[in-house]
Amino acid sequence: MNEKELRALGQIVSGYLDFAERQAEREQAMTMKDWAEHLDRILTMSGENLLRVAGKVSHQKAVEKATTEYKKYQAKTLSEAEKNFLESLKRIESEAKKKK
């Protein structure tokens, strides 16, 4: 996502969370179906296109892509101490698996 898309998404999320907070203050119970329908209305009113089909990417492929992208992000943002800590965890986990 580019900066403009991230800003737009942030605005939609903010509005949605404001609505959720208002519903809680009013003690208005809502089901997951209610929340989904409300989100669809917000997106439609803001000119967004709704996805009408499940898509073509399998869950496994999506998880693999997310994991790959997160590892790229981690490599750029983790401090040396954090990287060492994660490596230690991997080593301990590997040793624990060997003992089983």
Side-chain angles (χ1 to χ4, degrees), residues 24-67:
E25 289 169 351
R26 294 176 51 218
E27 297 180 12
Q28 178 70 43
M30 291 183 67
T31 65
M32 288 303 293
K33 181 181 178 199
D34 294 334
W35 286 110
E37 289 171 355
H38 182 71
L39 179 57
D40 285 352
R41 286 194 303 271
I42 289 173
L43 293 172
T44 301
M45 288 188 309
S46 65
E48 302 296 331
N49 294 322
L50 300 180
L51 295 176
R52 297 291 180 195
V53 295
K56 297 178 183 175
V57 177
S58 71
H59 173 75
Q60 183 60 37
K61 292 277 187 202
V63 169
E64 289 170 5
K65 175 70 173 172
T67 301

Side-chain angles (χ1 to χ4, degrees), residues 3 6 9 19 52 60 67 73-74 79 83 87 100:
E3 189 173 332
L6 284 172
L9 179 60
F19 174 76
R52 297 291 180 195
Q60 183 60 37
T67 301
Y73 168 79
Q74 274 186 323
S79 70
K83 289 177 186 176
E87 285 301 318
K100 286 184 178 183

Side-chain angles (χ1 to χ4, degrees), residues 59-96:
H59 173 75
Q60 183 60 37
K61 292 277 187 202
V63 169
E64 289 170 5
K65 175 70 173 172
T67 301
T68 300
E69 293 302 315
Y70 184 68
K71 285 180 180 178
K72 289 179 192 176
Y73 168 79
Q74 274 186 323
K76 293 179 186 176
T77 60
L78 290 179
S79 70
E80 197 61 37
E82 291 169 317
K83 289 177 186 176
N84 291 338
F85 176 73
L86 290 174
E87 285 301 318
S88 295
L89 287 178
K90 287 179 187 176
R91 192 172 49 255
I92 291 168
E93 186 178 78
S94 177
E95 291 171 7

